[in-house]
Amino acid sequence: MASHRKSRTPGTRVAGIRTPALATAALTSVALLSQTATAAPTDDGKPSLEEVEKKVGDLYRQAESATEKYNAAKEQTAKQRKRVDTLLDDVAQRTQKLNDAREELGSYAAAQYRTGAGVPDTATFLLADTPQDVFDQRQVMDRMTGRQKEAVDDYVTQQSETMKKRQEATESLRTLTESQDDLKTAKATVQKKLTDARELMARLTAEEKARLAAIEKKKQEEAARQAAELARQQAEQQQAREEAARQDAGSSDGTGSSGTATSPSPSTDSSYGTKAEKAIAFARAQIGKPYVWGATGPGSYDCSGLTQAAWKAAGVALPRTTYDQVNAGTTVPVSQAQPGDLVFFYDDVTHVGIYIGNGMMIHAPKPGTYVREESIFYDGESSVHSVVRPA
């Protein structure tokens, strides 16, 4: 994937995400790319390959951001449409009850007309504009029979509740319209960014595309090196934990000393490991399926659609978007990432993959690509936002 990292001030990230070794590796990657990329502008004023690569990467990132907004708007629209349907059904039922109450009042009015009874005309209530109009006619209420009063009370109640539900339905319809507008806007933005990226790439010559491919290959080699370094660090940490456990065991039975205390394993919940295995197995089975923005499977996925489906297969319900998934668990440092954890990318948290160990993940990268296994440093160490262990 083309580089589209935002510049950052070197230093420690939240939750201890960065490590000195990885920061050094990132600097090495930058130096390597600067030697490989063609940065100088061409004589004819065309952008350099480095500028093209950055522009394409930015466009894909913007498209992915718009995709997550589209996912959120789609989810909101679906919820709002369901609420509107429920309210309209309720209004219909209450309207029927109101009509029944009106008919009962009408029957009393008709009977009074036929008999010429001196009881005030019940039909007066049928002409009231609001429930308050009815209540204002208390002198009439005082002269009615008990059953007539019950009929009026029922009519007033049904009219009040029906008006309230109609108002709620009107407000919900307005909100639904706004959600649909947001959905259209996000969809148009995604399509525009993708079109711009494709057109930009289409203007490159075969030689330029080959040189870009060489740059990308170098990036992937560096990403693989960083993944291997993370795997080495994690292996050393695990060995330290196991050694500390042996020393503690020896100390407890009088055969050794407690030694130096070390950090415990980041997760001792065996049930998490079982669920993580199921989630990873599902994600692995999707490798080779195309990335399609807004897709949740089974034939195609976007990034958050894949992670949601993977953990659903393990019995865990994750929210739809990256914005919500990043808050659906416990944040841990990259150095303590475990298989099954979610790895989020970029300051605006617009991409996610599922960690499988050894610095690698399975993710749906971007339009035009397929679900694949890749280093979590595929776009550089600084692109990693956080690691979250689903609850």
Side-chain angles (χ1 to χ4, degrees), residues 63 67 70-71 186-188 190-191 194 291-295 301-302 367:
T67 294
Y70 170 86
N71 291 338
K187 182 177 182 179
V190 174
Q191 293 174 332
L194 294 180
Y291 175 106
V292 174
W293 65 274
Y301 298 88
D302 63 16

Side-chain angles (χ1 to χ4, degrees), residues 201-275:
M201 289 296 294
R203 290 196 292 268
L204 295 179
T205 66
E207 180 184 357
E208 289 172 329
K209 290 179 180 179
R211 288 160 63 193
L212 276 181
I215 294 174
E216 180 66 18
K217 182 179 179 181
K218 289 291 185 182
K219 285 180 58 180
Q220 294 307 314
E221 290 174 352
E222 175 59 19
R225 190 197 67 76
Q226 289 180 294
E229 173 62 19
L230 176 59
R232 183 190 64 77
Q233 292 178 10
Q234 292 178 329
E236 289 179 350
Q237 291 174 2
Q238 180 62 27
Q239 290 175 357
R241 286 192 291 267
E242 292 173 355
E243 178 61 26
R246 285 194 294 269
Q247 291 181 2
D248 288 343
S251 176
S252 63
D253 61 15
T255 60
S257 61
S258 60
T260 303
T262 59
S263 299
S265 173
S267 175
T268 57
D269 184 1
S270 60
S271 66
Y272 178 79
T274 300
K275 293 176 181 177

